[in-house]
Amino acid sequence: MGPHPAVAAIRLAVRRVLHDILTDHTRPPDESSPLVLVACSGGADSMALASALAFEAPKLGVRAGGITVDHGLQSGSDLRADDVVGRLVELGMAPVESLAVTVGRDGGPEAAARDARYAALDAAAERHGAAAILLGHTRDDQAETVLLGLARGSGIRSLSGMAEVSGAGGRYRRPFLHLDRQTARKACMVQSLSVWDDPHNADPAYTRSRLRHEGLPALEKALGKGVVGALARTAQLSRDDADALDAWARQAEASVRDTAGLLECAKLYALPPAVRRRILRRAAIEAGAPAGSLFARHIEEVDRLITGWRGQGVINLPGKVVAQRQGGRLVIRQS
């Protein structure tokens, strides 16, 4: 008798990603098997992912390790992290470690915690020479991300949600984006894997928590049970469109710069708005504006220097970056 359908589904998802990693990963001569880490909070999604990785990795000649991040935002978080480490060790993973981070305040508590977490994971991947880090984001998480982008009035890139492969060199892999959260929880239950339910996930002080427990259920009540799947499909369609527009913008950028490398306003004006704004965003980020703090409203203000020029002054952007129009050129620089 085979495994429970939920267990089979998560193992298949992980097996496919491991095959992709092995295809992408060039092994140094002295490395017999690549290392794949799982980022594990102890919740149902990441515990299901850890168990599947521990089961599938040895069959493919892959070493499986685990990382848990202690954000220090709750009393006893260090003990919770130690418990997760113990569970990953029981699954046969090595190396396994807990990383304590300091969460700042930039961008709000959720964004600051995310930034600290990814910085710690990046450092761990470099330190251990990991080929990839697996993340347990599910289709439900994807739907929430799309709705959050929609609520912010963000562009199509934000609506494309999370990518299956992201990070430097494709470091981060998300095997579960096509699986729902209930499948992961069921897989833990039938395997008798204990899970930790983060109280922050039910705290209405957090935007994503309100969306998860109030917003999405209200949408499903009004529109039917297919909302989560439809939003996930929207993410993929939006990603395809955004990728095409990004490629167009990269190709067009050289044609709108003068011999000194400055952006020419008349040539920018001739481009479709979606392409022009991508060029402006890239220029702002290259000048030092943090990508996570650069919103659509910022780019719209800069775009008005091109499309609605009436002698406006300097536009202030995040990261102490300024944009101004000078002699038919758009100058974006550090202030």
Side-chain angles (χ1 to χ4, degrees):
M1 184 176 178
H4 186 279
V7 176
I10 65 168
R11 288 178 178 176
L12 177 60
V14 169
R15 191 182 316 137
R16 287 172 172 166
V17 167
L18 290 179
H19 277 296
D20 290 341
I21 293 169
L22 289 171
T23 300
D24 297 343
H25 181 61
T26 301
R27 304 183 193 183
D30 61 343
E31 183 181 340
S32 59
S33 58
L35 170 66
V36 174
L37 300 171
V38 60
C40 185
S41 67
D45 302 340
S46 59
M47 281 305 301
L49 181 58
S51 70
L53 176 61
F55 182 83
E56 294 292 338
K59 298 191 294 183
L60 296 173
V62 172
R63 292 178 293 138
I67 303 292
T68 189
V69 178
D70 176 12
H71 298 86
L73 298 176
Q74 302 170 26
S75 176
S77 62
D78 55 337
L79 299 178
R80 188 276 309 166
D82 289 343
D83 180 64
V84 174
V85 166
R87 282 188 264 165
L88 295 179
V89 170
E90 288 176 2
L91 288 172
M93 291 186 163
V96 173
E97 65 177 328
S98 169
L99 303 175
V101 299
T102 300
V103 177
R105 296 183 178 182
D106 291 347
E110 292 165 282
R114 181 176 62 249
D115 290 345
R117 179 167 61 253
Y118 277 101
L121 292 174
D122 281 335
E126 295 291 341
R127 187 167 59 254
H128 293 292
I133 299 178
L134 305 189
L135 305 175
H137 298 121
T138 65
R139 187 174 64 183
D140 302 78
D141 296 309
Q142 186 75 297
E144 293 163 6
T145 301
V146 172
L147 282 176
L148 287 170
L150 185 64
R152 287 194 298 265
S154 301
I156 194 171
R157 175 57 69 188
S158 182
L159 297 184
S160 65
M162 295 174 285
E164 292 185 8
V165 180
S166 65
R171 170 174 290 160
Y172 294 106
R173 311 288 177 122
R174 296 176 175 86
F176 289 176
L177 285 184
H178 299 292
L179 298 176
D180 61 35
R181 190 173 288 141
Q182 193 56 39
T183 296
R185 187 166 288 276
K186 176 71 76 173
C188 289
M189 185 181 71
V190 299
Q191 294 178 100
S192 299
L193 294 172
S194 60
V195 300
W196 175 71
D197 290 315
D198 186 347
H200 281 175
N201 290 335
D203 188 344
Y206 294 94
T207 305
R208 186 177 286 268
S209 175
R210 294 195 301 274
L211 180 59
R212 180 174 301 178
H213 297 288
E214 300 173 25
L216 266 175
L219 281 175
E220 288 185 334
K221 183 177 180 180
L223 302 176
K225 289 292 184 181
V227 168
V228 168
L231 288 168
R233 287 192 297 275
T234 296
Q236 185 56 59
L237 293 170
S238 297
R239 181 166 298 279
D240 292 342
D241 290 348
D243 287 346
L245 288 167
D246 285 348
W248 186 353
R250 283 193 297 272
Q251 293 170 0
E253 184 170 355
S255 69
V256 297
R257 290 187 181 274
D258 64 14
T259 55
L262 295 176
L263 292 165
E264 298 188 65
C265 296
K267 292 180 178 179
L268 283 167
Y269 184 84
L271 291 173
V275 176
R276 180 175 63 246
R277 288 172 183 167
R278 278 167 165 75
I279 293 174
L280 299 179
R281 178 178 173 81
R282 281 168 57 88
I285 292 171
E286 288 173 1
S293 302
L294 196 61
F295 301 135
R297 57 183 172 83
H298 295 126
I299 303 304
E300 288 168 2
E301 285 294 318
V302 178
D303 195 39
R304 275 193 278 273
L305 296 176
I306 309 297
T307 62
W309 175 242
R310 296 183 179 83
Q312 299 98 308
V314 169
I315 304 297
N316 293 305
L317 301 173
K320 297 182 179 179
V321 172
V322 297
Q324 61 186 133
R325 181 164 172 156
Q326 294 178 336
R329 302 294 190 268
L330 184 69
V331 179
I332 302 178
R333 59 177 175 78
Q334 282 282 325
S335 61

